Amino acid sequence: MIWMTWRQFRTPTLATGGLLLVVLGGLALTWAEVTELATQTGYTGCQGDACLAAGEAFLQALQPKWANEFHIAAIAALYLLPALVGIFWGAPLVARELESGTYRMVFSQSVSRVRWLLVKLAVGAGAAALGAGLLSLMLTRWAQSIDGASADRMNPLVFAARGIVPIGYATLAFVVGVFTGLVLRRTLAAMAVTLLVVVGLQIAAPFVVRPWLAQPVTTVTPLTFDGDFGISMNPDTGHMTVHVEPERRGDWVVSSTTITSTGAEFSGPADMTQCGPRASGGREACQRWLGQQNLSLKVSYVSGSKFWGLQWREFGVLFAVAVVLSLLSLWWVRRRLV
């Protein structure tokens, strides 16, 4: 059964493996370049406040290099991999046999239905987890100095391309493909539905699932308007919003809102004699007027120290869903497949 399963999806597996090898080769070839740049700019071995300036110099030196291109390519590959695995590995693996009717020949042999599907799930999910894990763990190790200098490891775009979370997405995407193929029994339809589900999951995770898992902390601090801030306003209605970037280096800022003393979101109305295109006092007058409004900044954030805890929780949820779908697939093939 293992050999037959391998023969069925060896072509897409080898094609995907070839793409992974290109990305892995790029990371391996540029590893020394990243390490050398970190040393030359003084980021390696720096301490205290000096690390901030050294980190900026390191990131700027990295920008025009090939290493930066491979960094972006590796992140993109980890986002693309679950979709490829679900579409080209999982969806056709069962759907093609059901569509052509060849499954009846297998079921007439001594191999049970459960074993037939269980081997497919084990081989495919194992290969998906291995490929995603290899790329993710190498990228996580390769980008250690970049993550340290940029302090954006908790950024939703970066978070899903580090650690063990990509393993969960690749495994779940494969199982989703198998399940949809089993239910729809049409290869193209299963591939299309799998693509929608996997992409939808990747988009929804940072907005819905991850904040729920991370349980962000909320703080409220008074605003003084002596630093950088931005405003947007409608001169006709006086509607006004104030945008202040919270200083939470290394943390994931889930939301940031300027609120009034009552706790409501500040929306004006603006004093058009102090702020706006017809105001004569300029930015300083607007700053003074905003300072008199007793505004505060409400920030919900997840500390950067929770990175690995959140990684394990999100991986656990993805793995649990994959297990449930696998069990449902086994039940389906035993009870519903005729």
PDB file of all heavy atoms in Angstrom, residues 110-138:
ATOM      1  N   SER A 110      -7.795  -7.844  -0.611  1.00  0.00           N
ATOM      2  CA  SER A 110      -7.787  -8.137   0.825  1.00  0.00           C
ATOM      3  C   SER A 110      -7.545  -6.891   1.680  1.00  0.00           C
ATOM      4  O   SER A 110      -7.656  -6.946   2.898  1.00  0.00           O
ATOM      5  CB  SER A 110      -6.704  -9.183   1.130  1.00  0.00           C
ATOM      6  OG  SER A 110      -5.437  -8.689   0.725  1.00  0.00           O
ATOM      7  N   VAL A 111      -7.214  -5.790   1.051  1.00  0.00           N
ATOM      8  CA  VAL A 111      -6.936  -4.556   1.796  1.00  0.00           C
ATOM      9  C   VAL A 111      -8.256  -3.919   2.242  1.00  0.00           C
ATOM     10  O   VAL A 111      -9.161  -3.723   1.424  1.00  0.00           O
ATOM     11  CB  VAL A 111      -6.161  -3.549   0.916  1.00  0.00           C
ATOM     12  CG1 VAL A 111      -5.925  -2.257   1.669  1.00  0.00           C
ATOM     13  CG2 VAL A 111      -4.840  -4.169   0.489  1.00  0.00           C
ATOM     14  N   SER A 112      -8.365  -3.602   3.525  1.00  0.00           N
ATOM     15  CA  SER A 112      -9.600  -2.986   4.016  1.00  0.00           C
ATOM     16  C   SER A 112      -9.660  -1.518   3.600  1.00  0.00           C
ATOM     17  O   SER A 112      -8.639  -0.899   3.283  1.00  0.00           O
ATOM     18  CB  SER A 112      -9.666  -3.086   5.537  1.00  0.00           C
ATOM     19  OG  SER A 112      -8.668  -2.263   6.113  1.00  0.00           O
ATOM     20  N   ARG A 113     -10.865  -0.964   3.639  1.00  0.00           N
ATOM     21  CA  ARG A 113     -11.051   0.441   3.257  1.00  0.00           C
ATOM     22  C   ARG A 113     -10.298   1.380   4.199  1.00  0.00           C
ATOM     23  O   ARG A 113      -9.691   2.358   3.768  1.00  0.00           O
ATOM     24  CB  ARG A 113     -12.542   0.795   3.295  1.00  0.00           C
ATOM     25  CG  ARG A 113     -13.396   0.019   2.345  1.00  0.00           C
ATOM     26  CD  ARG A 113     -14.827   0.483   2.436  1.00  0.00           C
ATOM     27  NE  ARG A 113     -15.667  -0.204   1.469  1.00  0.00           N
ATOM     28  CZ  ARG A 113     -16.832   0.246   1.054  1.00  0.00           C
ATOM     29  NH1 ARG A 113     -17.305   1.380   1.526  1.00  0.00           N
ATOM     30  NH2 ARG A 113     -17.547  -0.433   0.174  1.00  0.00           N
ATOM     31  N   VAL A 114     -10.382   1.063   5.476  1.00  0.00           N
ATOM     32  CA  VAL A 114      -9.720   1.923   6.464  1.00  0.00           C
ATOM     33  C   VAL A 114      -8.206   1.917   6.260  1.00  0.00           C
ATOM     34  O   VAL A 114      -7.562   2.962   6.290  1.00  0.00           O
ATOM     35  CB  VAL A 114     -10.081   1.461   7.888  1.00  0.00           C
ATOM     36  CG1 VAL A 114      -9.248   2.206   8.929  1.00  0.00           C
ATOM     37  CG2 VAL A 114     -11.562   1.683   8.148  1.00  0.00           C
ATOM     38  N   ARG A 115      -7.653   0.746   6.025  1.00  0.00           N
ATOM     39  CA  ARG A 115      -6.206   0.667   5.813  1.00  0.00           C
ATOM     40  C   ARG A 115      -5.817   1.398   4.535  1.00  0.00           C
ATOM     41  O   ARG A 115      -4.782   2.073   4.475  1.00  0.00           O
ATOM     42  CB  ARG A 115      -5.784  -0.798   5.737  1.00  0.00           C
ATOM     43  CG  ARG A 115      -4.282  -0.981   5.610  1.00  0.00           C
ATOM     44  CD  ARG A 115      -3.919  -2.432   5.437  1.00  0.00           C
ATOM     45  NE  ARG A 115      -2.504  -2.588   5.119  1.00  0.00           N
ATOM     46  CZ  ARG A 115      -1.956  -3.694   4.660  1.00  0.00           C
ATOM     47  NH1 ARG A 115      -2.708  -4.774   4.480  1.00  0.00           N
ATOM     48  NH2 ARG A 115      -0.677  -3.762   4.388  1.00  0.00           N
ATOM     49  N   TRP A 116      -6.639   1.257   3.502  1.00  0.00           N
ATOM     50  CA  TRP A 116      -6.391   1.927   2.214  1.00  0.00           C
ATOM     51  C   TRP A 116      -6.248   3.437   2.407  1.00  0.00           C
ATOM     52  O   TRP A 116      -5.310   4.062   1.926  1.00  0.00           O
ATOM     53  CB  TRP A 116      -7.553   1.592   1.269  1.00  0.00           C
ATOM     54  CG  TRP A 116      -7.563   2.315  -0.038  1.00  0.00           C
ATOM     55  CD1 TRP A 116      -6.768   2.104  -1.112  1.00  0.00           C
ATOM     56  CD2 TRP A 116      -8.461   3.377  -0.399  1.00  0.00           C
ATOM     57  NE1 TRP A 116      -7.102   2.959  -2.132  1.00  0.00           N
ATOM     58  CE2 TRP A 116      -8.143   3.756  -1.729  1.00  0.00           C
ATOM     59  CE3 TRP A 116      -9.504   4.040   0.248  1.00  0.00           C
ATOM     60  CZ2 TRP A 116      -8.820   4.753  -2.410  1.00  0.00           C
ATOM     61  CZ3 TRP A 116     -10.190   5.039  -0.427  1.00  0.00           C
ATOM     62  CH2 TRP A 116      -9.831   5.387  -1.736  1.00  0.00           C
ATOM     63  N   LEU A 117      -7.179   4.022   3.169  1.00  0.00           N
ATOM     64  CA  LEU A 117      -7.136   5.474   3.371  1.00  0.00           C
ATOM     65  C   LEU A 117      -6.106   5.862   4.421  1.00  0.00           C
ATOM     66  O   LEU A 117      -5.454   6.906   4.299  1.00  0.00           O
ATOM     67  CB  LEU A 117      -8.527   5.972   3.786  1.00  0.00           C
ATOM     68  CG  LEU A 117      -8.653   7.486   3.944  1.00  0.00           C
ATOM     69  CD1 LEU A 117      -8.313   8.205   2.636  1.00  0.00           C
ATOM     70  CD2 LEU A 117     -10.046   7.876   4.404  1.00  0.00           C
ATOM     71  N   LEU A 118      -5.959   5.027   5.434  1.00  0.00           N
ATOM     72  CA  LEU A 118      -5.025   5.351   6.509  1.00  0.00           C
ATOM     73  C   LEU A 118      -3.588   5.460   5.987  1.00  0.00           C
ATOM     74  O   LEU A 118      -2.842   6.363   6.383  1.00  0.00           O
ATOM     75  CB  LEU A 118      -5.103   4.268   7.595  1.00  0.00           C
ATOM     76  CG  LEU A 118      -4.488   4.616   8.958  1.00  0.00           C
ATOM     77  CD1 LEU A 118      -5.144   5.858   9.545  1.00  0.00           C
ATOM     78  CD2 LEU A 118      -4.632   3.442   9.912  1.00  0.00           C
ATOM     79  N   VAL A 119      -3.215   4.565   5.086  1.00  0.00           N
ATOM     80  CA  VAL A 119      -1.864   4.621   4.521  1.00  0.00           C
ATOM     81  C   VAL A 119      -1.672   5.898   3.711  1.00  0.00           C
ATOM     82  O   VAL A 119      -0.642   6.569   3.785  1.00  0.00           O
ATOM     83  CB  VAL A 119      -1.596   3.375   3.661  1.00  0.00           C
ATOM     84  CG1 VAL A 119      -0.276   3.522   2.902  1.00  0.00           C
ATOM     85  CG2 VAL A 119      -1.555   2.133   4.532  1.00  0.00           C
ATOM     86  N   LYS A 120      -2.701   6.259   2.921  1.00  0.00           N
ATOM     87  CA  LYS A 120      -2.610   7.490   2.127  1.00  0.00           C
ATOM     88  C   LYS A 120      -2.453   8.713   3.033  1.00  0.00           C
ATOM     89  O   LYS A 120      -1.638   9.607   2.764  1.00  0.00           O
ATOM     90  CB  LYS A 120      -3.870   7.647   1.259  1.00  0.00           C
ATOM     91  CG  LYS A 120      -3.996   6.630   0.132  1.00  0.00           C
ATOM     92  CD  LYS A 120      -5.295   6.852  -0.625  1.00  0.00           C
ATOM     93  CE  LYS A 120      -5.495   5.789  -1.702  1.00  0.00           C
ATOM     94  NZ  LYS A 120      -4.476   5.865  -2.759  1.00  0.00           N
ATOM     95  N   LEU A 121      -3.259   8.752   4.102  1.00  0.00           N
ATOM     96  CA  LEU A 121      -3.173   9.893   5.020  1.00  0.00           C
ATOM     97  C   LEU A 121      -1.810   9.947   5.709  1.00  0.00           C
ATOM     98  O   LEU A 121      -1.215  11.027   5.828  1.00  0.00           O
ATOM     99  CB  LEU A 121      -4.281   9.787   6.074  1.00  0.00           C
ATOM    100  CG  LEU A 121      -5.702  10.107   5.599  1.00  0.00           C
ATOM    101  CD1 LEU A 121      -6.710   9.728   6.672  1.00  0.00           C
ATOM    102  CD2 LEU A 121      -5.838  11.587   5.254  1.00  0.00           C
ATOM    103  N   ALA A 122      -1.324   8.798   6.145  1.00  0.00           N
ATOM    104  CA  ALA A 122      -0.059   8.777   6.884  1.00  0.00           C
ATOM    105  C   ALA A 122       1.115   9.179   5.993  1.00  0.00           C
ATOM    106  O   ALA A 122       1.958  10.001   6.388  1.00  0.00           O
ATOM    107  CB  ALA A 122       0.170   7.379   7.468  1.00  0.00           C
ATOM    108  N   VAL A 123       1.163   8.619   4.786  1.00  0.00           N
ATOM    109  CA  VAL A 123       2.290   8.916   3.884  1.00  0.00           C
ATOM    110  C   VAL A 123       2.249  10.380   3.441  1.00  0.00           C
ATOM    111  O   VAL A 123       3.260  11.098   3.499  1.00  0.00           O
ATOM    112  CB  VAL A 123       2.257   7.981   2.667  1.00  0.00           C
ATOM    113  CG1 VAL A 123       3.304   8.410   1.635  1.00  0.00           C
ATOM    114  CG2 VAL A 123       2.511   6.540   3.103  1.00  0.00           C
ATOM    115  N   GLY A 124       1.080  10.839   3.020  1.00  0.00           N
ATOM    116  CA  GLY A 124       0.973  12.216   2.519  1.00  0.00           C
ATOM    117  C   GLY A 124       1.178  13.256   3.605  1.00  0.00           C
ATOM    118  O   GLY A 124       1.938  14.223   3.424  1.00  0.00           O
ATOM    119  N   ALA A 125       0.505  13.064   4.750  1.00  0.00           N
ATOM    120  CA  ALA A 125       0.646  14.038   5.844  1.00  0.00           C
ATOM    121  C   ALA A 125       2.070  14.037   6.390  1.00  0.00           C
ATOM    122  O   ALA A 125       2.613  15.091   6.737  1.00  0.00           O
ATOM    123  CB  ALA A 125      -0.352  13.718   6.951  1.00  0.00           C
ATOM    124  N   GLY A 126       2.673  12.856   6.464  1.00  0.00           N
ATOM    125  CA  GLY A 126       4.050  12.785   6.943  1.00  0.00           C
ATOM    126  C   GLY A 126       5.013  13.515   6.022  1.00  0.00           C
ATOM    127  O   GLY A 126       5.892  14.246   6.475  1.00  0.00           O
ATOM    128  N   ALA A 127       4.842  13.330   4.710  1.00  0.00           N
ATOM    129  CA  ALA A 127       5.711  14.015   3.746  1.00  0.00           C
ATOM    130  C   ALA A 127       5.491  15.529   3.794  1.00  0.00           C
ATOM    131  O   ALA A 127       6.452  16.309   3.718  1.00  0.00           O
ATOM    132  CB  ALA A 127       5.444  13.481   2.337  1.00  0.00           C
ATOM    133  N   ALA A 128       4.235  15.954   3.930  1.00  0.00           N
ATOM    134  CA  ALA A 128       3.937  17.395   4.011  1.00  0.00           C
ATOM    135  C   ALA A 128       4.563  18.011   5.253  1.00  0.00           C
ATOM    136  O   ALA A 128       5.164  19.099   5.200  1.00  0.00           O
ATOM    137  CB  ALA A 128       2.425  17.605   4.021  1.00  0.00           C
ATOM    138  N   ALA A 129       4.421  17.311   6.387  1.00  0.00           N
ATOM    139  CA  ALA A 129       5.000  17.823   7.637  1.00  0.00           C
ATOM    140  C   ALA A 129       6.526  17.874   7.556  1.00  0.00           C
ATOM    141  O   ALA A 129       7.148  18.833   8.028  1.00  0.00           O
ATOM    142  CB  ALA A 129       4.559  16.939   8.804  1.00  0.00           C
ATOM    143  N   LEU A 130       7.115  16.869   6.934  1.00  0.00           N
ATOM    144  CA  LEU A 130       8.576  16.828   6.825  1.00  0.00           C
ATOM    145  C   LEU A 130       9.104  17.981   5.958  1.00  0.00           C
ATOM    146  O   LEU A 130      10.063  18.667   6.333  1.00  0.00           O
ATOM    147  CB  LEU A 130       8.997  15.482   6.229  1.00  0.00           C
ATOM    148  CG  LEU A 130      10.505  15.256   6.063  1.00  0.00           C
ATOM    149  CD1 LEU A 130      11.169  15.226   7.436  1.00  0.00           C
ATOM    150  CD2 LEU A 130      10.787  13.950   5.319  1.00  0.00           C
ATOM    151  N   GLY A 131       8.466  18.196   4.802  1.00  0.00           N
ATOM    152  CA  GLY A 131       8.909  19.276   3.909  1.00  0.00           C
ATOM    153  C   GLY A 131       8.746  20.650   4.546  1.00  0.00           C
ATOM    154  O   GLY A 131       9.667  21.471   4.527  1.00  0.00           O
ATOM    155  N   ALA A 132       7.556  20.885   5.131  1.00  0.00           N
ATOM    156  CA  ALA A 132       7.308  22.194   5.759  1.00  0.00           C
ATOM    157  C   ALA A 132       8.220  22.388   6.968  1.00  0.00           C
ATOM    158  O   ALA A 132       8.739  23.492   7.195  1.00  0.00           O
ATOM    159  CB  ALA A 132       5.844  22.295   6.172  1.00  0.00           C
ATOM    160  N   GLY A 133       8.408  21.335   7.738  1.00  0.00           N
ATOM    161  CA  GLY A 133       9.254  21.440   8.926  1.00  0.00           C
ATOM    162  C   GLY A 133      10.694  21.730   8.578  1.00  0.00           C
ATOM    163  O   GLY A 133      11.351  22.548   9.227  1.00  0.00           O
ATOM    164  N   LEU A 134      11.192  21.068   7.534  1.00  0.00           N
ATOM    165  CA  LEU A 134      12.584  21.281   7.128  1.00  0.00           C
ATOM    166  C   LEU A 134      12.819  22.721   6.693  1.00  0.00           C
ATOM    167  O   LEU A 134      13.777  23.376   7.130  1.00  0.00           O
ATOM    168  CB  LEU A 134      12.925  20.316   5.987  1.00  0.00           C
ATOM    169  CG  LEU A 134      14.374  20.323   5.496  1.00  0.00           C
ATOM    170  CD1 LEU A 134      15.302  19.895   6.619  1.00  0.00           C
ATOM    171  CD2 LEU A 134      14.536  19.386   4.294  1.00  0.00           C
ATOM    172  N   LEU A 135      11.921  23.236   5.854  1.00  0.00           N
ATOM    173  CA  LEU A 135      12.077  24.616   5.382  1.00  0.00           C
ATOM    174  C   LEU A 135      11.884  25.622   6.510  1.00  0.00           C
ATOM    175  O   LEU A 135      12.652  26.584   6.642  1.00  0.00           O
ATOM    176  CB  LEU A 135      11.081  24.889   4.249  1.00  0.00           C
ATOM    177  CG  LEU A 135      11.100  26.305   3.676  1.00  0.00           C
ATOM    178  CD1 LEU A 135      12.490  26.666   3.150  1.00  0.00           C
ATOM    179  CD2 LEU A 135      10.057  26.446   2.559  1.00  0.00           C
ATOM    180  N   SER A 136      10.864  25.405   7.325  1.00  0.00           N
ATOM    181  CA  SER A 136      10.574  26.362   8.397  1.00  0.00           C
ATOM    182  C   SER A 136      11.699  26.401   9.438  1.00  0.00           C
ATOM    183  O   SER A 136      12.117  27.487   9.871  1.00  0.00           O
ATOM    184  CB  SER A 136       9.260  25.992   9.076  1.00  0.00           C
ATOM    185  OG  SER A 136       9.027  26.842  10.169  1.00  0.00           O
ATOM    186  N   LEU A 137      12.163  25.236   9.842  1.00  0.00           N
ATOM    187  CA  LEU A 137      13.199  25.222  10.870  1.00  0.00           C
ATOM    188  C   LEU A 137      14.521  25.777  10.351  1.00  0.00           C
ATOM    189  O   LEU A 137      15.249  26.454  11.086  1.00  0.00           O
ATOM    190  CB  LEU A 137      13.377  23.800  11.401  1.00  0.00           C
ATOM    191  CG  LEU A 137      12.142  23.244  12.136  1.00  0.00           C
ATOM    192  CD1 LEU A 137      12.398  21.840  12.637  1.00  0.00           C
ATOM    193  CD2 LEU A 137      11.732  24.150  13.292  1.00  0.00           C
ATOM    194  N   MET A 138      14.816  25.538   9.080  1.00  0.00           N
ATOM    195  CA  MET A 138      16.046  26.122   8.518  1.00  0.00           C
ATOM    196  C   MET A 138      15.917  27.643   8.401  1.00  0.00           C
ATOM    197  O   MET A 138      16.852  28.383   8.708  1.00  0.00           O
ATOM    198  CB  MET A 138      16.329  25.520   7.146  1.00  0.00           C
ATOM    199  CG  MET A 138      17.630  26.041   6.541  1.00  0.00           C
ATOM    200  SD  MET A 138      18.136  25.123   5.079  1.00  0.00           S
ATOM    201  CE  MET A 138      19.646  26.011   4.641  1.00  0.00           C
TER     202      MET A 138
END
